[in-house]
Amino acid sequence: MTLGFSKMSRCAFEPVWANDFNIQAVNTYNANFGEHCTSGDIVDILNDPQTRIPSAEVVIGGPPCQGFSLLNKNREGDPRKQLWRPFFEIVERSKAQVFVMENVPQLLGSFEYEEILSFARDLGFQCWDEVLCAADYGVPQTRRRAFIIGCRFCDPSRVFPPRRTHFDPRKNGAQISFLQADADGYAPDAVKWRTVRDAIADLPQPSGTAIRSESSPLDLQFGRSPTEMSMARYRAIPKEGMNRFDLLERAPELTPDCWIRKKSGGTDLFGRLWWDRPAFTIRTEFFKPEKGRYLHPEQHRPITHREAARLQSFPDDFIFTGTKIEIARQIGNAVPPLLAASIADAVYLLLTADGRQ
């Protein structure tokens, strides 16, 4: 989110303080934005009398979403569902006029969502919330995320949601008319969704299996060492868009028993991407095709770290630190920077409304 707000939006914000529990995420943040991201449990940090939270116009963040995720089978009673509370303590201490909270769409239907709105209103914020699709804002991925925006001085619905800059050509054809743009919330110059081809087609085939010393983008354009069984499965579903059901039909002897027993759902497991569509949600284990639609559209392999970063809309010069697993976690957990940039532009409009700045 900081990348979108500080370097990719039309009106760059200056970050002054940050926190993350994961030390490698902290190291990556500091390598890109300056040495002001603190590592550790936010509750402990806020309880420390030595902690000083600087003043800020805006507080942005994504309190851990695993407590709400459909992938979490123990959602009920998960303590991570209450980490929005220290988020608001940061809002109060910084005297922020605007906050932006990001999470999985399931947050908006939860009991905690009602608590969040009530708490924010008691602090004097008017709120807006919506689920946004990253592809509508130039990201080559149909990731959907929930955002709650709060503003102390006016109704944020004046500028939210941001006008969509891209459209689905399967629904809207080759272009958006001016009248349709105004009625449906598109920018007048909206263009077609960006695709997998747009994002990664220029990259060479991966080399080696380790992070490389070469400059970006080749540093993260490495592969894996698949087993013969994995290679046989890849070759059995050579066409873009194929998935585990095609594997079962074409090569049942190569299909794991658990997939044979699973008759429904999971249509993206072991799936190939389409060249001329956006990717589906890039998660933290995108290098494991059994976890989702992460196979290259035509090469017999899962996507690389660099390809995943591009599908998330990270520029090649963004610095990632840590091991391969840690970098994958940072890529998959991130708010797509281009989506964050569109939100940042709308926040700026909010802050400058009625000549405030």
Side-chain angles (χ1 to χ4, degrees):
M1 286 185 77
T2 299
L3 176 60
F5 268 73
S6 67
K7 296 184 178 182
M8 297 176 73
S9 68
R10 289 192 291 268
C11 307
F13 288 81
E14 178 187 357
V16 294
W17 191 86
N19 162 256
D20 201 286
F21 187 76
N22 183 293
I23 184 60
Q24 293 302 331
V26 170
N27 291 340
T28 290
Y29 182 102
N30 288 337
N32 289 277
F33 307 115
E35 298 286 334
H36 58 262
C37 187
T38 60
S39 173
D41 187 316
I42 187 62
V43 175
D44 294 337
I45 289 170
L46 290 175
N47 286 336
D48 184 346
Q50 301 300 315
T51 298
R52 295 291 181 268
I53 305 300
S55 297
E57 292 271 25
V58 184
V59 170
I60 62 175
C65 64
Q66 291 89 343
F68 302 101
S69 173
L70 292 177
L71 298 177
N72 178 10
K73 304 305 182 185
N74 300 306
R75 291 192 297 275
E76 296 302 321
D78 193 319
R80 291 171 296 184
K81 297 170 77 171
Q82 290 291 315
L83 285 174
W84 58 267
R85 294 184 181 276
F87 176 92
F88 277 110
E89 186 168 343
I90 298 294
V91 171
E92 290 187 87
R93 290 201 197 184
S94 67
K95 300 179 174 60
Q97 298 298 299
V98 177
F99 73 81
V100 179
M101 182 184 293
E102 172 270 345
N103 215 293
V104 293
Q106 290 74 30
L107 168 67
L108 300 188
S110 69
F111 172 76
E112 286 76 14
Y113 162 73
E114 299 297 338
E115 285 188 306
I116 290 169
L117 288 188
S118 177
F119 195 91
R121 288 166 181 158
D122 287 345
L123 293 179
F125 286 93
Q126 298 180 65
C127 297
W128 165 89
D129 59 78
E130 194 159 323
V131 174
L132 301 180
C133 175
D136 290 336
Y137 298 94
V139 182
Q141 181 190 169
T142 55
R143 188 187 198 100
R144 289 167 55 81
R145 303 296 285 186
F147 292 88
I148 302 175
I149 316 294
C151 181
R152 289 188 189 270
F153 54 85
C154 71
D155 185 350
S157 66
R158 293 173 59 177
V159 296
F160 287 98
R163 286 191 171 271
R164 291 176 281 179
T165 58
H166 292 67
F167 63 86
D168 183 352
R170 294 175 299 173
K171 295 180 180 179
N172 300 102
Q175 62 184 14
I176 296 284
S177 70
F178 181 80
L179 291 177
Q180 183 182 5
D182 187 59
D184 295 343
Y186 290 98
D189 55 352
V191 296
K192 296 178 185 177
W193 276 357
R194 294 185 65 237
T195 67
V196 171
R197 188 186 303 277
D198 295 330
I200 70 171
D202 65 314
L203 290 170
Q205 291 198 20
S207 176
T209 59
I211 299 172
R212 297 158 67 181
S213 59
E214 299 174 66
S215 60
S216 62
L218 299 183
D219 55 346
L220 299 183
Q221 188 63 0
F222 55 84
R224 302 189 75 198
S225 299
T227 64
E228 284 301 318
M229 174 64 78
S230 293
M231 287 301 300
R233 289 170 177 162
Y234 301 161
R235 288 190 291 264
I237 50 169
K239 296 180 181 179
E240 57 184 295
M242 285 184 163
N243 59 21
R244 70 180 181 93
F245 293 109
D246 297 291
L247 179 66
L248 177 59
E249 180 179 339
R250 296 164 66 95
E253 72 282 2
L254 298 176
T255 306
D257 289 340
C258 60
W259 291 358
I260 294 174
R261 293 192 299 268
K262 186 176 175 62
K263 301 295 185 182
S264 61
T267 57
D268 293 318
L269 299 182
F270 215 74
R272 282 194 184 272
L273 294 163
W274 287 271
W275 271 125
D276 296 315
R277 301 184 192 179
F280 286 17
T281 299
I282 300 299
R283 298 191 177 94
T284 59
E285 293 186 306
F286 55 79
F287 49 88
K288 296 181 180 180
E290 66 272 18
K291 298 287 188 176
R293 190 173 292 278
Y294 301 135
L295 287 173
H296 189 276
E298 59 186 43
Q299 296 174 27
H300 299 317
R301 61 174 179 83
I303 57 175
T304 66
H305 283 52
R306 175 56 63 198
E307 288 164 342
R310 284 195 176 183
L311 293 171
Q312 276 277 63
S313 74
F314 277 100
D316 289 345
D317 62 358
F318 187 84
I319 301 169
F320 290 99
T321 68
T323 66
K324 292 189 292 184
I325 296 293
E326 289 160 346
I327 291 173
R329 186 178 296 117
Q330 293 165 29
I331 292 170
N333 280 336
V335 175
L338 273 179
L339 174 57
S342 287
I343 293 171
D345 289 337
V347 169
Y348 183 80
L349 288 177
L350 198 60
L351 289 169
T352 55
D354 304 326
R356 286 182 52 83
Q357 292 188 1

